[in-house]
Structure formats: C-alpha cells, structure tokens
Amino acid sequence: MKMMINHPFNESYPIRTAKLGTLYIISASQAAAVQIGDRGSTNAKLFALAVQRRADHKTSGDVFFESYRIFDRPLPVLSDPEYENGDMIQIERIHCSPYITVGRIKIIATGSSASIQIGNSMRYTAESRIKHIRQYPRPRPVPPVN
C-alpha cells in the first residue's frame, strides 16, 4: 500500500477557490483573526487570566501567569497507533468543482483566538489557555441555636 497524502507543499495539492457573496461580522475581539484570502500558516495563541473579585482589583493585589501551572504545562501529544506502527494511510479527495461557493455568512461574535477565514489555509495551529479565578470571602459560620 502506498502512502498518498495531499500535503500543502506538494505540487498536486488541490487548491480550491472560495467564492463568498456576503460576510457580516458584528464583533471580532480577543485575538480573533478575520482574513479574506489565502493563508500559508497560522500559529495562534491566547493566554488569559479571568479574575472575579468582590474587592476592587486595584487594592486586591496582582495576579501573575507564572503562579498557575496551566500556562507552563506541555500540550498533549496526539498519537495515531496505526501510523506509528508503520501502517500506510491513503487519502483520496475528489472535488467536483474547483470552487467552494457560499452565499452569505453572518457572525454575531467571535473571540479567544478564533479564526475566520475565507480562502485556503495550508497549516493551522491554535492554542487557548484560560484560568478562571474567583476570589470571594467565605461566609462566616452561623453558631448553632441552643
């Protein structure tokens, strides 16, 4: 069995043209990317601390990324036992049309290192790590009634 994968940098890679009538975006924030056209590669990352406190942030002290392991933890390794055992993988793509045609796209909001792309993308890697912190005083215990 021959290994045949359409690789982005192989000359036989089937590039298709995207045709879009209308793109309507209300909000794109927090490291979101909106691109119309082709993209060779993307390496998007977002590290965020979301802190909720009863006290004022200015008087409660700072919060640092270094204090939380989630930001230093290695990414999980994806494994494919069949590929690692040397089994061949065959992928065949048949496109009836050289165009991807879409009439209208309406997006209300996107964020947290999201990507909206109209066109081809060869390589895409994205990572988002968010630590949610809630700092509220504990309620005082009520003494039992005798």
Side-chain angles (χ1 to χ4, degrees):
M1 184 183 274
K2 180 182 173 187
M3 184 172 190
M4 188 175 93
I5 296 179
N6 289 327
H7 191 272
F9 301 106
N10 186 338
E11 292 176 10
S12 66
Y13 188 73
I15 299 295
R16 297 175 75 191
T17 302
K19 291 182 172 184
L20 175 65
T22 305
L23 174 63
Y24 180 73
I25 300 173
I26 295 173
S27 175
S29 62
Q30 289 183 324
V34 177
Q35 181 174 352
I36 299 172
D38 297 343
R39 180 186 309 163
S41 65
T42 301
N43 188 9
K45 293 185 178 188
L46 171 72
F47 291 171
L49 288 170
V51 182
Q52 291 179 334
R53 295 177 170 163
R54 178 169 288 177
D56 187 332
H57 288 291
K58 294 177 184 176
T59 60
S60 297
D62 293 328
V63 180
F64 300 99
F65 285 106
E66 297 84 15
S67 302
Y68 302 96
R69 259 184 24 98
I70 190 171
F71 299 109
D72 295 327
R73 204 178 296 162
L75 292 174
V77 177
L78 301 176
S79 66
D80 183 350
E82 292 178 2
Y83 178 76
E84 291 168 3
N85 289 335
D87 295 341
M88 294 296 150
I89 300 170
Q90 183 170 345
I91 298 174
E92 182 179 355
R93 294 182 177 104
I94 299 173
H95 302 301
C96 297
S97 171
Y99 302 105
I100 299 169
T101 306
V102 178
R104 180 178 181 212
I105 297 174
K106 182 178 179 181
I107 299 169
I108 295 171
T110 183
S112 297
S113 71
S115 177
I116 300 166
Q117 181 177 352
I118 312 301
N120 293 295
S121 181
M122 301 300 180
R123 281 199 181 125
Y124 191 89
T125 304
E127 174 183 352
S128 178
R129 299 182 186 205
I130 301 171
K131 175 68 178 173
H132 293 273
I133 302 167
R134 290 172 180 81
Q135 296 177 339
Y136 292 101
R138 290 187 177 159
R140 294 182 181 173
V142 178
V145 178
N146 291 342

